Amino acid sequence: MSMYQVKPITGSDINVDLPTCMYKLPNLHAQPGSGSCIDNVLQLSTGPYVSSDQNGEVDPALKALEQRQDDILRRLYELKAAVDGLAKTVTTPDADLDATSLSSAAMMSAPKEVAHLDSLLGKDLGALRDIVVNANPSSPPLSLLVLHGLLCQRYRVLSTVHVHSSVSSVPPKLLNCLGPRHADSYTRQRFQLGFTLIWKDVPRLQMKFSVPNMCPIEGQGNVARFLSRLVGLEPHDPAAATMSDSWVDTAFFQLAEGSGKEQAAVLRALNAALGRGPWLAGAELSLADVVCACCLLQTGTSAASAPANVQRWLKGCQNLGHLSCITPLL
């Protein structure tokens, strides 16, 4: 016996038409007065505004869309060709050597004057401006040690070396790589600039100038460019400066970290460039010469095994005395 009894609302003689298919489509092959099969498909898929009309003419909107697509593809091909040309220029070690033809005075650098520290590092607020460098002792930054020596010739620099707890031991030569401790190191106000080298287990060399306010500068090449502006090693001529910057990247990425084949290619490029002038980027010593010489010596390439022009150039770098601070580390 049921709890509730409800009278039927409708009778039981109602017929319901159930569908025999899910979707209905008109027969494209049997419609009288219809166009071609392709036109019918276009009408069903895209609507009547982008298909052919009854006279067989293409809608102007479709023509404009096709023309726009052709223009975009043509521009993409042009951009691809331009990028391929730039890639060949960057990846070829001696590609930038033709930059000397951009300026008739490319090899005549303007006289260098060391800019005031306030114009390069900001206004002196009374505290010692300290450059802090974190370096891995397994790969000493020889070029930065040379630039540190040049800084000491221009400014009163307070140099200190520390060892981070992430490093278990450091050779004595690396502890004394910045020279003996200054006698007036306890009076920081007597110095114009501080240079603190911390031997630390880092994957890449890092530098901070304003520790609380700036993110670290990573990479020996980028730090070397920063320090070169303080010592006046950056050429004033735009073509020479571009060439110097290219040699810095070539030295670190191909000469120091590249394979034997890449190092041999850089040596050939160096020999060709030094055959046209005494230095790599102009008539005077530049950052390119310092970096390339340090990387060449750090790879273990001796002057006797280098090409003739490279041997003469290395001898000239050593005669200037700038590389004497890294000789004990080689």
Side-chain angles (χ1 to χ4, degrees):
M1 181 176 181
S2 60
M3 182 178 295
Y4 302 104
Q5 184 176 3
V6 180
K7 296 181 179 181
I9 300 176
T10 59
S12 59
D13 57 346
I14 298 177
N15 296 325
V16 180
D17 294 332
L18 299 177
T20 57
C21 64
M22 185 173 295
Y23 303 106
K24 292 183 178 181
L25 294 176
N27 191 343
L28 301 178
H29 305 280
Q31 288 183 353
S34 62
S36 63
C37 179
I38 298 177
D39 290 339
N40 291 328
V41 172
L42 288 175
Q43 290 178 3
L44 291 174
S45 60
T46 59
Y49 295 99
V50 296
S51 60
S52 302
D53 56 15
Q54 295 181 356
N55 297 328
E57 298 180 356
V58 182
D59 188 78
L62 181 59
K63 289 184 178 180
L65 184 61
E66 292 178 349
Q67 182 63 35
R68 180 182 178 186
Q69 182 180 8
D70 293 339
D71 293 340
I72 293 175
L73 292 176
R74 178 179 52 79
R75 292 176 60 188
L76 287 176
Y77 287 133
E78 293 176 355
L79 289 175
K80 182 178 182 300
V83 171
D84 291 340
L86 291 175
K88 293 179 181 179
T89 303
V90 172
T91 56
T92 305
D94 56 350
D96 290 333
L97 298 179
D98 293 334
T100 52
S101 60
L102 298 177
S103 174
S104 59
M107 304 306 291
M108 298 297 294
S109 300
K112 299 185 180 68
E113 293 183 1
V114 180
H116 196 270
L117 285 177
D118 289 344
S119 61
L120 296 173
L121 304 180
K123 186 178 180 181
D124 184 7
L125 300 178
L128 179 65
R129 291 171 285 200
D130 197 1
I131 298 174
V132 181
V133 177
N134 296 326
N136 199 315
S138 62
S139 179
L142 300 184
S143 61
L144 300 191
L145 301 182
V146 175
L147 293 173
H148 166 263
L150 295 175
L151 279 174
C152 294
Q153 296 178 10
R154 307 296 179 100
Y155 309 105
R156 298 188 303 275
V157 181
L158 175 60
S159 306
T160 54
V161 179
H162 302 282
V163 179
H164 193 262
S165 59
S166 59
V167 178
S168 58
S169 63
V170 176
K173 293 181 179 180
L174 296 182
L175 294 176
N176 301 321
C177 61
L178 299 184
R181 188 176 182 87
H182 202 281
D184 296 332
S185 58
Y186 60 92
T187 53
R188 294 171 62 89
Q189 65 272 14
R190 295 187 179 182
F191 298 92
Q192 296 175 287
L193 194 64
F195 192 96
T196 303
L197 177 60
I198 302 175
W199 295 116
K200 185 178 180 181
D201 187 11
V202 289
R204 297 185 63 188
L205 185 136
Q206 300 174 349
M207 188 211 77
K208 277 191 175 184
F209 170 68
S210 179
V211 177
N213 301 326
M214 69 175 288
C215 61
I217 299 175
E218 293 191 350
Q220 190 174 167
N222 297 325
V223 178
R225 291 183 178 96
F226 176 85
L227 297 180
S228 67
R229 292 176 173 86
L230 300 181
V231 298
L233 283 182
E234 190 177 34
H236 290 187
D237 182 77
T242 302
M243 187 184 303
S244 175
D245 197 59
S246 175
W247 276 117
V248 171
D249 287 337
T250 300
F252 285 118
F253 292 114
Q254 297 184 20
L255 189 57
E257 302 177 0
S259 61
K261 187 176 181 180
E262 290 178 325
Q263 293 176 357
V266 175
L267 279 177
R268 291 193 298 269
L270 282 171
N271 192 57
L274 294 171
R276 293 190 287 267
W279 306 105
L280 291 176
E284 297 180 2
L285 181 78
S286 67
L287 179 63
D289 300 286
V290 172
V291 169
C292 288
C294 291
C295 290
L296 193 63
L297 294 175
Q298 197 166 18
T299 57
T301 303
S302 61
S305 61
N309 295 331
V310 178
Q311 291 183 19
R312 172 184 52 80
W313 166 72
L314 277 176
K315 188 66 175 177
C317 293
Q318 293 172 351
N319 290 339
L320 290 177
H322 301 320
L323 305 181
S324 59
C325 60
I326 65 173
T327 303
L329 305 179
L330 299 175

